[in-house]
Amino acid sequence: GERSLVTVLAADGQKFDHNWNDFDIVEKDALTVLEAKPTSAVGVLADGSQPLTAFVPTDRAFRRLVFDLTGKRPRTEAKTFEAVAGLGVDTVETVLLYHVVLDTRIRYRAALQADGAELTTAQGGTVTVQVRGHRVWLKDADPDDRNPRVKMRLRDLNQGNQQLAHGINRVLRPLDL
């Protein structure tokens, strides 16, 4: 199928809620970037015909990022989004593209067999797959922070379509913060 990841992420409505384990913030981030920059490469997330794998941070992951950057934990998803958006549209665009691997659909089962594999992201950087037991982590460009882990209940999202996603518990960082 050609259902896009933006469509999947918006399935519960385009609103913030109290569920920190869904993807309202990344959805709003993508839509905000596309509104500001209609020709952004982030548009690939709205084009269901383009094969890709995205590692999608949960709302809680963005809250952790804001805490790491500011020392404050926003109380709501809306406040968390405001803090992330305050980094600027170009920064948000860069971070989003660092979560996307183009032209391939990496199922969780295949990732379990890919320990040490380097994945080139749409941003141009790389992340490294690290497997421990039956869990998958992604090593990003920030050596000082904990690496994101694929959440077991949020893997292989949008199966049967060109675009596949895995929920992760931290935001991938394209540079050393």
Side-chain angles (χ1 to χ4, degrees):
E2 294 189 357
R3 182 173 53 182
S4 74
L5 286 181
V6 168
T7 301
V8 171
L9 297 177
D12 66 347
Q14 293 181 357
K15 62 183 173 14
F16 295 119
D17 54 30
H18 301 288
N19 180 1
W20 289 97
N21 292 311
D22 64 5
F23 308 102
D24 302 322
I25 295 170
V26 75
E27 169 197 344
K28 182 72 170 163
D29 284 341
L31 294 173
T32 300
V33 168
L34 291 174
E35 183 177 315
K37 299 171 80 173
T39 60
S40 168
V42 171
V44 71
L45 297 172
D47 177 5
S49 68
Q50 171 69 45
L52 61 81
T53 300
F55 298 99
V56 187
T58 63
D59 296 340
R60 185 179 318 281
F62 280 103
R63 187 178 189 209
R64 282 183 178 135
L65 176 66
V66 171
F67 178 76
D68 287 349
L69 295 174
T70 68
K72 298 177 184 175
R73 284 192 214 289
R75 299 186 85 182
T76 67
E77 290 178 358
K79 293 289 185 189
T80 303
F81 168 75
E82 288 174 17
V84 172
L87 298 171
V89 72
D90 291 336
T91 299
V92 173
E93 177 185 43
T94 297
V95 170
L96 288 176
L97 292 173
Y98 191 62
H99 288 77
V100 176
V101 179
L102 296 172
D103 299 323
T104 189
R105 296 176 66 249
I106 304 165
R107 294 185 48 100
Y108 191 79
R109 184 169 283 195
L112 285 171
Q113 305 302 314
D115 189 35
E118 283 194 0
L119 306 174
T120 301
T121 70
Q123 174 264 354
T126 60
V127 295
T128 303
V129 176
Q130 296 181 318
V131 178
R132 292 183 211 126
H134 294 287
R135 295 189 177 217
V136 174
W137 277 262
L138 300 168
K139 183 178 178 189
D140 61 17
D142 189 340
D144 305 318
D145 194 51
R146 293 177 65 187
N147 292 318
R149 177 178 48 83
V150 174
K151 295 188 61 129
M152 294 299 285
R153 293 184 186 173
L154 299 174
R155 60 186 179 171
D156 293 338
L157 302 173
N158 204 29
Q159 286 188 55
N161 291 283
Q162 293 292 322
Q163 299 187 342
L164 189 64
H166 304 285
I168 56 176
N169 70 338
R170 296 184 181 277
V171 176
L172 287 165
R173 298 172 182 201
L175 51 93
D176 186 359
L177 297 178

